[in-house]
Amino acid sequence: MDPKIIAVDFDDTLCENMYPDIGEPKNSVIEYILEEQSKGSKIILWTCRTGVNLANAVDWCREHGIIFDAINDDLDIIKEKHGDTGKKIYADIYIDDKGVPPVFCKKGFRKAIRKIYDLIAADLVY
């Protein structure tokens, strides 16, 4: 069975948005990612950051215990399974502050998405 693949954004998801600087950590999201990783989920950093800003984000994540299985790219198992992949990274769950609310997610993932959404959206104003 293939592992659960989670693509996670950086700014305003793993940390407060201070781009190009790095804001305070969103500890509840970091804890969730680490918990999922300990259960065998594969984690992809999915961010618009590039160059030195990307390197700083990866270093910051490493300091917070997150080691990614891929960065802005598909996992090798996906590439092997489907050949060359497109620009959209394949994941079962996408964690992003700009994501769609969980009511629109597949039924099997709604509980996990609701938890993630609550963690990220707690400080957002609608």
Side-chain angles (χ1 to χ4, degrees):
M1 186 163 119
D2 291 336
K4 184 189 318 179
I5 302 171
I6 300 173
V8 62
D9 182 33
F10 185 71
D11 294 290
D12 219 15
T13 301
L14 288 172
C15 67
E16 297 295 330
N17 189 3
M18 300 283 294
Y19 184 85
D21 296 323
I22 297 174
E24 291 298 312
K26 290 194 173 187
N27 291 317
S28 56
V29 179
I30 293 169
E31 289 169 12
Y32 178 81
I33 293 297
L34 293 173
E35 177 185 333
E36 282 297 316
Q37 199 162 41
S38 74
K39 294 177 183 176
S41 295
K42 300 298 181 185
I43 310 298
I44 299 173
L45 178 61
W46 183 45
T47 180
C48 292
R49 284 179 176 248
T50 59
V52 69
N53 292 324
L54 176 59
N56 290 341
V58 171
D59 289 344
W60 183 92
C61 289
R62 188 176 301 114
E63 290 169 10
H64 288 84
I66 303 172
I67 306 298
F68 295 102
D69 297 289
I71 298 169
N72 287 338
D73 196 9
D74 280 309
L75 296 176
D76 288 341
I77 59 172
I78 297 301
K79 292 176 185 178
E80 292 166 8
K81 191 175 193 177
H82 300 288
D84 191 23
T85 57
K87 288 187 174 186
K88 182 178 178 181
I89 293 169
Y90 174 83
D92 298 302
I93 297 174
Y94 298 85
I95 303 174
D96 191 321
D97 59 298
K98 294 178 177 40
V100 176
V103 69
F104 298 109
C105 299
K106 291 192 319 186
K107 187 175 183 180
F109 291 108
R110 282 187 186 158
K111 185 176 181 182
I113 298 297
R114 178 82 245 171
K115 180 177 179 181
I116 294 163
Y117 184 77
D118 289 344
L119 293 172
I120 294 170
D123 62 341
L124 299 178
V125 177
Y126 294 96

